[in-house]
Amino acid sequence: MSAVDAELLTRLLALRAAWRTHEHWSPARIASQQTEAFQRLRSYAVARSPFYRERYAGLEGAPLTALPPVTKDELMDHFDEAVTAPSLRLSDIEEHLHNLVENDADPSVPWRGRWWAAASAGTTGRRGIFIWDHREWAAVIASYARVPSWAGIFSRIKRPARVAMVTTRRPSHQSAIISATFNSLLFPTLRLDASDSPADLAARLGAFHPDLLVGFPSALRPLALEQLAGRLDIEPRAVVATSEILGVPESRDLEAAWGSPPVDIYATTETACIASTCTAGRRHVYEDVVIVEPVDADYRPVPPGITGERLLVTVLFSRTLPLIRYEMSDRVRLGERGCPCGRSFRLLEGVEGRTEDILRLPAAGGTVAVHPNVFHEILEEAPVTGWQVVQREDGLDVLVAGTPLGTDLQGLRDAIAQRLTEQGVVSTPVRVFPVHEVPRTPLGKAKLVRGLGP
């Protein structure tokens, strides 16, 4: 183990121990800690970042909710002024990420001996670049290390849990950097690419026998079917779904294959892990690490039980590139507090995808917004292993994978068309096509809805 790895592991273990004491704080203690951590973050950002100094001029002492949100475009347009380390330049980081991919280099090795950087997928339009120093990267790793312990899976240095990650091996993506870092920290980690065939993935998993299986739901479901068919024989103590919406069919098949409901992570490149499920099967927000604010289209806060149009996130440990009321298009619904597991953190009731996943389709007198749930209601009950709705200029193409011979595709088409009509959609032909597998992004993700945008 290198000196960097040893220091990172020491920080990781210290954070894990400290964070365990936070989980049963009272609501008042949580609120107090968030306020204090936010004030330290703002002071640091204003002192060291010209972007935030100018943005918060005249707002000294204002509460978090009074500060203007920051979009990804704004942050990328002003990256060199937003970072708090004057030596960092966006062009240099982009070149570093390009070289990582070109050389298929080890992403766990810190750039310039000090920094870890990653690029977001850019599925909502513009790609984002994010960077962390040693202390911040330890917090990122600790946020993901929290997931298995909440699910009842504990890893110790003398008997580390064997982890298999079926995400992406593209070294500029955070999940690849996470898996490489875990592997370098004495946690045996098998790094697999979700775009590989289920048969190849099953063969490698069968030889590795992971204690913890982590992956995109669209990649885990085919593996669950391999297990149910007898072509895979592993006994993970927990299965963790990440980076995509975990639907009912995926959850049902994963539980059937491995005997327990999958653990569901809500995380992003920008924020690291925001929430995950506990042993009671409920998702809790990591309130000691992030502050989340679901808001409506006019940036007004929405109450628990109501889904916001977008989400504002403040990452309390961010320092190199401060994220304060950072705007994401995720549609999130918070719940109240209280859970049989005893944790005090607020519940996350639902993540309904992103605003970009909502299709705008022709209607009488204009357009109507069609939520992805309209397609979920029909396609989750269909005999398919995967699906994707693609908006074209002349209608919708519905791609369905794994349809058994004799599946009534016309009936499926009619059901979707009828449901769209009930939503007020007009003049939008629906076409259903069987495919071998649903197309994936370069990072191995399988989007459920693809609109006309970028």
Side-chain angles (χ1 to χ4, degrees):
M1 177 183 286
S2 69
V4 171
D5 292 339
E7 184 179 354
L8 193 62
L9 180 60
T10 300
R11 291 187 188 278
L12 167 62
L13 295 176
L15 283 173
R16 288 178 65 182
W19 288 0
R20 287 193 195 102
T21 68
H22 302 174
E23 296 170 9
H24 301 282
W25 279 349
S26 68
R29 178 78 182 277
I30 293 171
S32 174
Q33 183 266 349
Q34 286 187 333
T35 298
E36 292 172 5
F38 154 65
Q39 290 173 344
R40 291 195 298 270
L41 170 60
R42 175 173 57 182
S43 296
Y44 191 94
V46 169
R48 297 171 182 259
S49 164
F51 171 78
Y52 281 104
R53 188 178 309 122
E54 179 180 349
R55 193 169 190 83
Y56 295 158
L59 293 172
E60 296 81 1
L64 175 67
T65 53
L67 300 181
V70 176
T71 67
K72 180 166 62 176
D73 282 347
E74 289 176 317
L75 209 59
M76 293 303 103
D77 286 343
H78 301 280
F79 186 95
D80 292 355
E81 296 80 41
V83 291
T84 59
S87 64
L88 292 177
R89 291 291 180 267
L90 180 60
S91 58
D92 294 337
I93 301 170
E94 288 181 322
E95 181 181 3
H96 159 65
L97 293 174
H98 174 77
N99 290 336
L100 272 180
V101 174
E102 284 292 302
N103 300 319
D104 193 24
D106 181 357
S108 71
V109 178
W111 177 54
R112 296 180 176 175
R114 182 179 177 186
W115 312 100
W116 286 264
S120 65
T123 53
T124 60
R126 185 172 184 176
R127 185 175 85 150
I129 303 294
F130 302 92
I131 189 163
W132 306 267
D133 68 11
H134 204 282
R135 290 178 181 273
E136 294 165 301
W137 190 241
V140 170
I141 297 296
S143 77
Y144 286 102
R146 193 179 227 174
V147 174
S149 65
W150 278 28
I153 304 298
F154 298 96
S155 180
R156 297 173 175 83
I157 296 298
K158 292 183 179 179
R159 190 184 179 278
R162 297 167 64 83
V163 181
M165 296 189 66
V166 190
T167 53
T168 178
R169 288 181 57 88
R170 188 177 179 86
S172 61
H173 191 259
Q174 190 184 79
S175 63
I177 309 171
I178 292 289
S179 62
T181 302
F182 267 113
N183 197 39
S184 68
L185 294 178
L186 299 182
F187 295 93
T189 303
L190 177 64
R191 302 169 58 212
L192 300 173
D193 200 300
S195 61
D196 290 345
S197 72
D200 289 343
L201 294 173
R204 297 193 64 188
L205 286 168
F208 185 72
H209 289 287
D211 298 304
L212 189 66
L213 176 61
V214 183
F216 303 150
S218 62
L220 293 178
R221 191 185 186 195
L223 292 171
L225 298 178
E226 291 288 302
Q227 177 91 8
L228 292 170
R231 294 185 293 269
L232 174 61
D233 184 17
I234 58 174
E235 297 179 349
R237 288 185 280 160
V239 178
V240 179
T242 184
S243 298
E244 297 173 350
I245 300 296
L246 177 64
V248 173
E250 291 86 0
S251 183
R252 179 187 60 221
D253 288 342
L254 297 183
E255 183 172 0
W258 291 298
S260 61
V263 176
D264 194 9
I265 292 180
Y266 176 45
T268 71
T269 300
E270 299 95 313
T271 62
C273 201
I274 294 176
S276 69
T277 49
C278 64
T279 50
R282 300 182 181 183
R283 277 182 301 197
H284 295 264
V285 177
Y286 293 1
E287 291 189 283
D288 55 343
V289 177
V290 296
I291 299 174
V292 296
E293 303 174 73
V295 295
D296 65 16
D298 296 316
Y299 295 95
R300 295 173 299 198
V302 300
I306 302 298
T307 301
E309 288 297 313
R310 51 176 64 93
L311 184 68
L312 306 180
V313 181
T314 299
V315 181
L316 296 173
F317 62 79
S318 64
R319 290 295 185 274
T320 303
L321 181 62
L323 297 179
I324 303 174
R325 303 200 89 197
Y326 176 78
E327 181 178 332
M328 302 193 302
S329 58
D330 294 19
R331 294 167 50 83
V332 166
R333 183 176 69 257
L334 292 180
E336 300 290 351
R337 301 183 189 278
C339 180
C341 78
R343 291 182 175 85
S344 305
F345 293 156
R346 186 175 296 278
L347 296 172
L348 177 64
E349 289 185 345
V351 181
E352 298 183 6
R354 292 176 165 166
T355 302
E356 291 80 4
D357 295 335
I358 297 177
L359 299 180
R360 299 285 173 177
L361 300 178
T367 62
V368 64
V370 177
H371 192 278
N373 283 350
V374 170
F375 304 104
H376 278 271
E377 292 167 3
I378 297 171
L379 292 166
E380 287 188 352
E381 298 303 319
V384 301
T385 59
W387 58 270
Q388 185 178 85
V389 176
V390 183
Q391 184 180 15
R392 311 287 188 193
E393 294 288 353
D394 62 345
L396 296 179
D397 289 347
V398 181
L399 311 181
V400 291
T403 52
L405 190 65
T407 299
D408 183 7
L409 297 181
Q410 182 64 35
L412 190 59
R413 189 211 73 82
D414 292 344
I416 296 171
Q418 175 61 34
R419 191 72 178 88
L420 291 175
T421 299
E422 294 170 0
Q423 296 286 306
V425 176
V426 299
S427 304
T428 302
V430 176
R431 300 169 292 265
V432 177
F433 299 103
V435 296
H436 177 65
E437 62 179 0
V438 173
R440 294 182 179 273
T441 69
L443 295 179
K445 295 183 180 181
K447 285 179 64 66
L448 294 179
V449 177
R450 289 173 46 198
L452 291 175

